[in-house]
Amino acid sequence: MSDQLNFTFNDTTVSAKPGQTLTAALMAAGCIPHRTAPDGSERGPFCGIGACQECLLEVDGQMSRRGCMTPVRDGMRVRSNDRLPDAAVSACLAKGEERLAEHACDVLVVGAGPAGLVAATELARGGMDVLVVDERHIPGGQYFKQNAVHPERQDDQGRKGRQLIEAMRASGARLWHDTLVWSAHREEGALVIGGLRDGEAFYIRTQHIIVATGAQETPAARPGWTLPGVITTGAGQTMLRAYEAVAPGRIVIAGNGPLNLQLAAELVGRGADVAAVVDSAPAPVKRPLLAGRLSMASPHLALVGMRHLTTLHRAGVPVLWGSVVTCIEGEDRVERVAVNQQGGAERWIETETVCLGDGFVPASELPRLLGCRQEIRNWPVTHPETGREPDGKTDQADVSVIGEAGRFGGAFLAQAQGMLCAARLLDRAGKPVPSGLERSRRMYRDNARFQKLLWKLYDPVVSLPSPQDTTILCRCECVTAGTVLARVSEDGITDLATLKRTTRAGMGRCQGRFCQASLMKMLPDPKNEKDFTAPQIPLRPVPVAALARQKPEWRGHVRVPIPSGLGATGPSASGAVETVDVVVVGGGIVGLFTALFLAEAGKSVVVLERGRAGALASGGNAGSLHAQLMAFDASADRDGPSMPARTLALQRESIRMWEALRTTFDRDLEIKVSGGLVVAETEADMDRLRSKVAVEQALGVDARILASDELRGIEPNLRDGFLGGAYCSEEGKINPMAATQAVLARARHAGVRVEELTALSVIQPDGTRFHVSAGSRRWSAGAVVNAAGAYAGEVAGLVGRRLPVFGAPLQMIVTEPVAPVVFSLLAHASRHLTLKQAANGSLLIGGGWSAGLDPVHGHPRPLRENLEGNLWVAQRLVPALGAVNVVRSWAAMNIDIDGAPILGESPDVPGFFTAVTANGVTLAPAMGRHVADMVLRRSERPDLEIFSPARFYGDQS
């Protein structure tokens, strides 16, 4: 094999060592910037473990490939990744029309680091069928990093890792490297885990999963931390130990903990120019008692640390204890850093590379996705942590969590946990357990004690100042501290999920892994896991083409039984009764608009919301503004236009209201009336569209039939072969998260009181007023508006007549941002689909595909079969989606009624109004206006009587 590989980067030849990744080779060559961020700035690699997505490159025509996870091949054509890559000219990321393969094993181990290697080895030796999957090309994890360039050149740490790897291979356990885990579901009593390897997606069915995914670094945000040349300490060590790559120029290593000293010593040993090590803890000699206890707890590890310090001292590398890098500066890449020392002294250091190592948090997305109980930890930053026993046992019988996926504790503790976990599972299966368990228990105890002492020794004495307004907190979306603070202050935000919906912070490719800790500092202390954002599928970006598979079409929403939305009644004597004009039940966008219009008319209004305002269907939909009938809407009944068709006038009125209102809000709602195109694939589709358009035109909708040769004029990237389509000029799109939060903020400004986390328990009519209770709180109201969405039927039952409103969870999918590729609201004549492109370039894929309910927590979750089917229809219309990655999917509880909203006063309970719809974002302003007018008794709209709840009550005569 040649000792050198060559590839081109932006048309310049770059040399690499066999075994190196693209990022390692580029960094060694001084080619640091990899991609362009949304704000136009250049970005370089950062985390080195494929999580941050900052190292994206265009490789052989495929966009958005992770450079740090892509081995160099001779002759590769590599370019910087554009801010908005052009999917229309990019190569497909995956191919395949066959059903995704399913594999099986007794135990799936995710992660081939110290914990995973030991657990897999012992389980396989005990006779179990074990499959190990790991995202990296070579097993060993972050501690036992193997030299990919010269495997024979391992230091003592690497050799120990090699021994574990060889033992695992000899045990019979299977290893799949380069394998990304992107999903997890429970189906038919088994776990079904989604994987991706070489562009091919598949599923693994197993009875038990061991999560050994390790930890990730959590570098703190500071000015300049997004400059090319800033990487994590772990990334620096990976480049050095695994790929023999050292960034040229002077290097500053900063943060907290012994890993920084280790990297500095290793770099010095390779001849690198280390300018300084900056640590926020005091020198160990200033804590002699702790240092002594640490040495006694583990003389070997303490000696290793002393050797690192000696190496640095001999090389003349200053170690600045009690200090912190507060600012990083440079034009196009790092040039210098500011260091603040305890006592306030500041100094500047010239440098070209900064390694930040501020601590670690568990990579816990997978156990969270599977419903494992979480605890809140505040060290080194606030984060959720999976509750587990020393043997990895969690509260979910089919999930174990070992090593640093549960808590940072070092490689020796992780190996002990791997052994204890394997013994527990073997014993449960009735198989012989390995010997030496007492030694493993002792190793666990000793290393847990050592780690506790270690981090007491490294307890910081200085910290970063509060971020400046211009400091970027969210690297993916370029959201600054000033933007976050303004939204928190102006909108009264107290939870991370709302902050995410309002600012887009945490919505990028890394899914909030590198900004969550900084965002949490802007909010009240979290009380439980719900105060963090939920992990979503995929856990890492996955190509659309890898998942897209044809599925059978269906009609009608899947209705699911949902838990009661009512709260418990508190003590009746507790609290005074507050008198208000109107109580609105439900803080979704319809309820908020209703409350806003009532408040602007001078009424006192309280909104009761069982969760967070705008957090369910209103903030979790795809944002279509529908003015025409969709594939699943009947256009006509025996008695004339169908209920969906008769709703079109209200939808069109509401879209016009959105456009008129857009300038009255304090933020961009991203409203765009771009037109809607429905394409036909068969003659039956064309017949359906002709019938649909005839009904729409009779109702005044600007709709028309298009011939095949007219389609490309509207959608130039549409696949060839469609027979024609139907076009409606009145359709459009909106950012539902921005819109809902804007209405919420304006309602509060108008005097509306929004009581979040306040579940309704009682509505009792009493003459001309209503007694309303939520827990121990009580109100007396002249009117009640039921805008409770999926819970509206149950709420109506409190006053005597339950309405036929059913929960129907639906899924949505969003891709990475790309250059404009879809220009209208795109749909299919006989398949469920809505496809549109957001203002930031992301493609939003929906169309009514049903979701399911999480078996542990009961909240909506996408179904894997429907994710595949939804993506297949989208890619069938626009083949360029094959070049694009899915960033996340989610599900929200929509509702199923009879194809039309419920809008009006109860015929037998005067003063009780209902405003509920499955098309809330489109209809919200009109429904809010009309129900407010009904409450105020200031207008009559006979055309709205068809939407009255009376239609479900039968003949009232």
Side-chain angles (χ1 to χ4, degrees):
M1 178 184 291
S2 170
D3 60 356
Q4 182 173 293
L5 303 175
N6 293 313
F7 65 97
T8 61
F9 177 63
N10 295 340
D11 301 324
T12 299
T13 299
V14 177
S15 296
K17 301 175 182 178
Q20 284 185 328
T21 62
L22 284 170
T23 288
L26 289 171
M27 287 189 65
C31 303
I32 307 301
H34 281 38
R35 74 179 188 96
T36 304
D39 63 358
S41 64
E42 297 299 305
R43 295 288 178 84
F46 184 59
C47 75
I49 58 173
C52 72
Q53 311 287 314
E54 292 279 43
C55 63
L56 298 181
L57 296 164
E58 178 192 302
V59 181
D60 291 334
Q62 294 182 329
M63 66 186 199
S64 302
R65 295 283 302 277
R66 292 180 295 172
C68 76
M69 306 297 285
T70 305
V72 175
R73 297 192 312 275
D74 200 46
M76 275 180 161
R77 294 173 294 107
V78 183
R79 303 195 66 82
S80 301
N81 216 61
D82 290 338
R83 181 178 71 87
L84 291 175
D86 191 348
V89 298
S90 297
C92 189
L93 292 170
K95 294 181 180 179
E97 286 292 323
E98 299 298 324
R99 182 180 178 87
L100 298 188
E102 284 201 8
H103 308 276
C105 61
D106 294 335
V107 180
L108 175 66
V109 180
V110 182
L117 289 171
V118 171
T121 300
E122 297 304 327
L123 287 167
R125 285 173 176 171
M128 302 190 81
D129 178 18
V130 181
L131 174 61
V132 183
V133 298
D134 191 88
E135 196 172 357
R136 301 199 70 82
H137 187 64
I138 300 176
Q142 296 305 306
Y143 182 77
F144 290 128
K145 291 183 179 77
Q146 298 296 292
N147 190 322
V149 178
H150 293 103
E152 73 281 1
R153 297 181 188 173
Q154 305 283 359
D155 61 9
D156 184 59
Q157 189 170 315
R159 285 191 294 271
K160 289 178 180 178
R162 172 59 59 186
Q163 292 172 2
L164 285 180
I165 294 167
E166 291 174 350
M168 185 270 294
R169 293 186 187 278
S171 71
R174 293 175 284 161
L175 170 66
W176 291 356
H177 54 76
D178 296 305
T179 301
L180 179 152
V181 169
W182 61 272
S183 72
H185 292 84
R186 284 189 172 87
E187 297 176 8
E188 301 172 357
L191 292 168
V192 180
I193 308 300
L196 180 77
R197 189 181 189 189
D198 295 330
E200 179 183 347
F202 54 85
Y203 297 107
I204 302 167
R205 191 173 290 271
T206 185
Q207 294 301 311
H208 197 92
I209 186 171
I210 297 177
V211 180
T213 45
Q216 72 164 54
E217 285 172 281
T218 177
R222 66 202 81 193
W225 76 308
T226 60
L227 279 169
V230 180
I231 61 176
T232 65
T233 298
Q237 192 178 59
T238 296
M239 295 299 112
L240 178 70
R241 294 176 62 87
Y243 304 120
E244 297 187 359
V246 178
R250 287 162 59 84
I251 302 170
V252 169
I253 304 170
N256 179 242
L259 179 61
N260 295 322
L261 293 174
Q262 180 182 357
L263 174 60
E266 290 172 346
L267 285 168
V268 166
R270 298 290 182 92
D273 183 4
V274 179
V277 177
V278 181
D279 200 294
S280 56
V285 295
K286 293 190 175 181
R287 290 171 171 170
L289 183 59
L290 270 174
R293 292 174 61 191
L294 190 73
S295 298
M296 293 178 62
S298 179
H300 169 70
L301 291 176
L303 182 60
V304 169
M306 290 299 299
R307 286 174 179 166
H308 294 331
L309 287 170
T310 300
T311 297
L312 297 177
H313 177 70
R314 288 174 177 170
V317 176
V319 179
L320 307 179
W321 298 102
S323 303
V324 61
V325 168
T326 58
C327 180
I328 304 167
E329 290 187 353
E331 291 298 322
D332 299 318
R333 59 166 296 174
V334 173
E335 296 176 8
R336 56 194 166 273
V337 298
V339 178
N340 275 24
Q341 298 177 278
Q342 188 178 18
E346 182 181 80
R347 62 187 290 185
W348 287 86
I349 302 175
E350 302 295 317
T351 184
E352 293 171 68
T353 300
V354 177
C355 298
L356 294 179
D358 292 322
F360 299 84
V361 294
S364 61
E365 298 87 5
L366 189 52
R368 289 187 65 202
L369 194 64
L370 288 168
C372 294
R373 178 180 57 84
Q374 301 294 305
E375 301 167 351
I376 306 303
R377 300 292 181 190
N378 295 311
W379 177 86
V381 294
T382 302
H383 66 279
E385 185 176 285
T386 305
R388 49 106 185 252
E389 302 295 329
D391 61 3
K393 182 179 180 181
T394 72
D395 66 328
Q396 299 300 311
D398 51 5
V399 182
S400 296
V401 177
I402 59 176
E404 291 169 358
R407 181 183 296 182
F408 188 81
F412 298 110
L413 186 147
Q415 291 174 78
Q417 272 201 315
M419 177 68 78
L420 296 174
C421 179
R424 174 173 56 84
L425 296 182
L426 287 168
D427 182 63
R428 192 174 73 175
K431 298 180 180 294
V433 300
S435 59
L437 291 184
E438 188 52 44
R439 179 176 178 274
S440 294
R441 294 187 185 99
R442 185 172 61 254
M443 182 185 298
Y444 179 89
R445 291 193 300 267
D446 290 348
N447 280 279
R449 184 166 59 251
F450 175 83
Q451 289 292 322
K452 188 175 182 179
L453 290 170
L454 177 67
W455 292 108
K456 282 186 177 180
L457 183 67
Y458 274 91
D459 188 26
V461 291
V462 292
S463 58
L464 279 172
S466 297
Q468 301 172 12
D469 281 354
T470 56
T471 300
I472 290 175
L473 300 186
C474 175
R475 299 175 64 96
C476 296
E477 297 293 326
C478 302
V479 181
T480 64
T483 297
V484 170
L485 288 170
R487 290 274 72 91
V488 168
S489 174
E490 294 169 16
D491 294 356
I493 295 172
T494 60
D495 69 292
L496 187 58
T498 302
L499 183 61
K500 176 179 176 180
R501 290 192 298 272
T502 305
T503 64
R504 293 194 59 83
M507 285 196 174
R509 289 183 175 95
C510 91
Q511 297 187 336
R513 289 177 173 88
F514 291 91
C515 65
Q516 179 173 263
S518 296
L519 297 174
M520 292 302 296
K521 291 180 180 179
M522 310 290 182
L523 300 168
D525 291 338
K527 297 180 176 60
N528 53 52
E529 184 194 3
K530 292 182 180 180
D531 290 325
F532 296 84
T533 54
Q536 303 287 3
I537 296 170
L539 295 171
R540 295 276 203 280
V542 176
V544 168
L547 302 184
R549 295 297 185 273
Q550 186 174 12
K551 300 297 174 184
E553 195 49 67
W554 48 274
R555 294 195 63 80
H557 289 300
V558 176
R559 297 173 174 178
V560 297
I562 59 176
S564 172
L566 302 181
T569 304
S572 59
S574 175
V577 177
E578 182 181 349
T579 299
V580 295
D581 294 321
V582 185
V583 168
V584 176
V585 183
I589 195 163
V590 173
L592 293 173
F593 257 123
T594 302
L596 170 62
F597 291 139
L598 286 167
E600 289 180 339
K603 297 298 182 182
S604 57
V605 186
V606 170
V607 176
L608 304 182
E609 169 54 49
R610 61 188 298 272
R612 296 287 186 183
L616 300 179
S618 294
N621 65 86
S624 301
L625 296 177
H626 287 302
Q628 65 176 327
L629 295 166
M630 303 306 294
F632 41 84
D633 290 329
S635 59
D637 295 327
R638 292 180 180 178
D639 300 327
S642 65
M643 287 298 283
R646 297 169 79 179
T647 310
L648 290 178
L650 191 61
Q651 292 173 206
R652 297 166 63 216
E653 175 189 349
S654 200
I655 293 172
R656 290 192 295 270
M657 286 185 67
W658 272 123
E659 289 194 278
L661 288 166
R662 65 192 305 173
T663 59
T664 67
F665 292 104
D666 63 352
R667 64 202 77 182
D668 183 9
L669 307 188
E670 298 176 24
I671 297 172
K672 185 175 183 180
V673 176
S674 53
L677 176 64
V678 185
V679 297
E681 198 161 3
T682 66
E683 287 296 342
D685 286 348
M686 285 302 300
D687 289 342
R688 178 181 179 83
L689 291 184
R690 292 186 189 100
S691 173
K692 179 180 88 76
V693 168
V695 171
E696 290 167 345
Q697 289 178 339
L699 295 170
V701 178
D702 181 21
R704 66 183 190 274
I705 293 293
L706 299 180
S708 176
D709 59 0
E710 296 179 276
L711 299 179
R712 286 293 186 91
I714 297 171
E715 290 294 348
N717 296 302
L718 199 65
R719 182 178 66 84
D720 290 330
F722 289 103
L723 301 184
Y727 183 72
C728 171
S729 66
E730 300 178 53
E731 285 215 310
K733 57 191 177 183
I734 191 172
N735 182 330
M737 296 172 294
T740 303
Q741 293 303 313
V743 178
L744 172 61
R746 184 166 154 187
R748 283 176 165 152
H749 183 73
V752 175
R753 288 233 320 279
V754 181
E755 302 289 349
E756 297 182 309
L757 306 177
T758 304
L760 171 75
S761 53
V762 173
I763 302 175
Q764 184 176 351
D766 182 12
T768 60
R769 299 194 68 79
F770 295 85
H771 297 299
V772 180
S773 299
S776 61
R777 303 180 65 183
R778 295 180 295 165
W779 294 266
S780 173
V784 173
V785 177
N786 175 13
Y791 304 97
E794 184 179 34
V795 170
L798 293 177
V799 297
R801 287 184 183 266
R802 190 177 181 116
L803 291 168
V805 178
F806 301 95
L810 302 179
Q811 70 177 33
M812 276 67 65
I813 304 168
V814 66
T815 73
E816 62 187 320
V818 296
V821 68
V822 173
F823 300 90
S824 65
L825 179 55
L826 191 55
H828 192 288
S830 57
R831 302 300 306 260
H832 282 70
L833 177 71
T834 59
L835 173 60
K836 56 186 168 295
Q837 194 159 11
N840 75 325
S842 293
L843 292 155
L844 296 164
I845 304 169
W849 286 78
S850 293
L853 293 181
D854 182 272
V856 177
H857 298 302
H859 55 69
R861 279 192 60 189
L863 299 170
R864 62 185 179 108
E865 292 278 329
N866 287 358
L867 284 176
E868 295 172 26
N870 203 172
L871 290 171
W872 183 88
V873 180
Q875 188 178 344
R876 184 165 181 79
L877 267 64
V878 181
L881 266 67
V884 181
N885 287 292
V886 175
V887 172
R888 65 185 178 278
S889 67
W890 70 97
M893 185 62 73
N894 206 332
I895 60 174
D896 188 24
I897 311 174
D898 61 353
I902 306 176
L903 179 61
E905 188 172 16
S906 171
D908 49 6
V909 185
F912 183 82
F913 299 84
T914 299
V916 181
T917 177
N919 196 5
V921 170
T922 299
L923 286 171
M927 288 187 66
R929 169 64 69 195
H930 294 316
V931 76
D933 286 345
M934 293 173 186
V935 171
L936 297 168
R937 311 293 182 188
R938 65 183 182 187
S939 70
E940 293 290 337
R941 284 282 299 268
D943 59 311
L944 300 179
E945 291 180 2
I946 58 169
F947 305 125
S948 168
R951 71 184 190 267
F952 301 111
Y953 290 6
D955 186 357
Q956 296 299 302
S957 60

